[in-house]
Amino acid sequence: CKNIYFNISHSQNIIAIGFSENPVGIDVEFEGVDGIKIAKRLFTKKENDYIKSPFYYKFVKCKNIK
């Protein structure tokens, strides 16, 4: 029996499940979610400053498109 890898992601009413014989990752994000509000609750000021930086925004945008 081969190893089966899986990954699950959800956001609002969207769910994605990936199965593979190799390690697999999947991520879904609901566009209406205000990430800045969530970040303020979860991260330090220094981390929030980085998240709001133009580089990080562009990186995340490109990552999500791929």
Side-chain angles (χ1 to χ4, degrees):
C1 183
K2 294 183 179 182
N3 289 335
I4 300 293
Y5 296 88
F6 72 96
N7 193 269
I8 300 172
S9 180
H10 68 90
S11 180
Q12 302 274 336
N13 62 345
I14 300 168
I15 187 167
I17 305 171
F19 294 93
S20 177
E21 292 177 355
N22 299 300
V24 62
I26 193 161
D27 184 32
V28 295
E29 296 178 25
F30 187 74
E31 286 188 19
V33 173
D34 187 348
I36 298 299
K37 284 184 182 177
I38 294 169
K40 284 181 180 179
R41 288 195 330 247
L42 298 177
F43 303 122
T44 67
K45 181 181 179 338
K46 184 176 179 180
E47 290 166 334
N48 272 284
D49 290 346
Y50 179 73
I51 288 168
K52 291 183 218 172
S53 72
F55 166 78
Y56 185 77
Y57 173 78
K58 290 176 184 176
F59 167 78
V60 170
K61 187 174 182 179
C62 289
K63 176 186 78 75
N64 290 339
I65 289 170
K66 286 193 167 256

